[in-house]
Amino acid sequence: MKIELIGFDFELNPNNKMDILVDAVNASDADLILFPGRTIRDLNDLLYAEQDIKNKSSVAILELEESLPSSCMFQRNALFMMHGGLFFDLYTSQVFETDEDIEGNEALTDKLMDEFKRRQFACCGNRITVLQGGETGLLSGTGLKLDFRFSANAVLNRRFQSLLAGTDIFLNPVHEATGDRNQTLQRMAALSADGRWCLSTGMLGREKMGNFSDKQLQHIFHDGREISVRPQIHDEEGYVSRTLEVPDRIAPWPASTPS
């Protein structure tokens, strides 16, 4: 299974982001492509870009900044999947961003657990779960003491352990990649323990615009350790990609792909 991570500058206008989406997807031979959070502004931009998608083979995961999936529902950081060259609403969006959002909030954590059934799918037999932005804050502590934030709650802890047992690869699209991500990296390492993978990609802030070799932009963890993958910089198109190979698996449950 080939996975490609795409990153670019944060302060781009929507047209530039649409161009990058189309260029990166059409140039890719990966089974799965992960884009940063807030790749596309809204559904109109996504449908406009969809007209130029030629790649029908890859699956891609991306966020819309704003989505209105029904007459009374508004979502920010809405999750979409590309499959067969078309984009599908997964009807889920980011639940929290900061530790302050989730600290002591068991109800919000329970809501996030409910969201995962719309954020899990299989690709090449690997079971994949998407954690958006700061939702890695399900884990708290530092270093070897890192653990599920609500482990004392038997019901939530059981749901979290089931999530780990049912995931081979965690995808973590983030928005702006920051310089100090030590705690986030520790959480990614913990999520990738026991043979799992945890992959993250984001966008460069103003102070690092165009510095596509920056190591904070994309991270790849496997079995608790970070793996270095050489970036492929596409200067003319305005993005960077990192591609890795993950062994295929025999899927224990059918691939969940839109029809």
Side-chain angles (χ1 to χ4, degrees), residues 2 17 30-31 33 50 55 67 72 94 117 119 170 172 179-180 182 184 194 203 212 216 218 221 223 226 236:
K2 184 180 290 187
K17 290 184 179 181
D31 299 294
I33 311 168
E50 186 181 73
N55 179 356
S67 176
C72 61
Q94 188 170 353
K117 63 179 175 291
R119 302 215 201 146
F170 282 103
N172 182 218
D180 182 13
N182 287 337
T184 299
D194 300 322
M203 294 182 278
F212 292 137
Q216 296 297 332
Q218 296 169 326
F221 280 84
D223 204 20
E226 186 161 18
E236 185 174 344

Side-chain angles (χ1 to χ4, degrees), residues 128-144:
I128 299 167
T129 299
V130 182
L131 286 167
Q132 296 178 250
E135 290 174 351
T136 55
L138 281 173
L139 299 177
S140 64
T142 57
L144 298 176

Side-chain angles (χ1 to χ4, degrees), residues 48-255:
Y48 185 84
E50 186 181 73
Q51 300 175 72
D52 294 321
I53 297 293
K54 309 301 181 186
N55 179 356
K56 310 296 184 183
S57 301
S58 300
V59 172
I61 296 295
L62 72 155
E63 278 185 11
L64 269 61
E65 291 186 41
E66 297 181 352
S67 176
L68 191 66
S70 75
S71 60
C72 61
M73 181 189 297
F74 175 78
Q75 295 186 129
R76 291 186 59 83
N77 305 335
L79 203 62
F80 274 67
M81 171 188 282
M82 185 198 80
H83 176 65
L86 302 175
F87 290 95
F88 298 87
D89 195 339
L90 297 184
Y91 295 99
T92 181
S93 61
Q94 188 170 353
V95 173
F96 68 89
E97 177 65 31
T98 68
D99 285 5
E100 288 74 20
D101 290 335
I102 196 65
E103 182 66 36
N105 198 332
E106 295 184 350
L108 192 62
T109 303
D110 198 45
K111 174 177 173 55
L112 178 58
M113 295 295 180
D114 289 340
E115 295 294 311
F116 286 135
K117 63 179 175 291
R118 290 179 287 277
R119 302 215 201 146
Q120 293 179 309
F121 61 98
C123 185
C124 301
N126 284 289
R127 301 165 298 174
I128 299 167
T129 299
V130 182
L131 286 167
Q132 296 178 250
E135 290 174 351
T136 55
L138 281 173
L139 299 177
S140 64
T142 57
L144 298 176
K145 296 182 180 180
L146 209 62
D147 197 8
F148 176 52
R149 187 179 292 273
F150 297 100
S151 57
N153 182 313
V155 174
L156 287 179
N157 189 59
R158 184 164 58 249
R159 297 189 76 180
F160 179 72
Q161 296 305 322
S162 177
L163 175 71
L164 292 181
T167 301
D168 300 310
I169 302 170
F170 282 103
L171 301 180
N172 182 218
V174 301
H175 306 137
E176 185 177 354
T178 58
D180 182 13
R181 298 192 70 209
N182 287 337
Q183 187 177 54
T184 299
L185 298 184
Q186 290 174 1
R187 290 168 176 172
M188 289 183 67
L191 289 167
S192 74
D194 300 322
R196 289 184 295 271
W197 295 79
C198 189
L199 316 175
S200 176
T201 189
M203 294 182 278
L204 290 170
R206 178 178 298 178
E207 73 284 355
K208 293 186 177 182
M209 285 181 64
N211 184 17
F212 292 137
S213 60
D214 189 280
K215 294 182 180 179
Q216 296 297 332
L217 184 60
Q218 296 169 326
H219 296 282
I220 299 167
F221 280 84
H222 176 54
D223 204 20
R225 301 180 64 180
E226 186 161 18
I227 295 174
S228 179
V229 174
R230 185 182 299 276
Q232 295 178 305
I233 297 175
H234 306 261
D235 281 318
E236 185 174 344
E237 294 84 359
Y239 72 93
V240 60
S241 66
R242 281 180 169 84
T243 303
L244 64 147
E245 293 278 356
V246 174
D248 292 356
R249 294 171 60 96
I250 299 175
W253 41 277

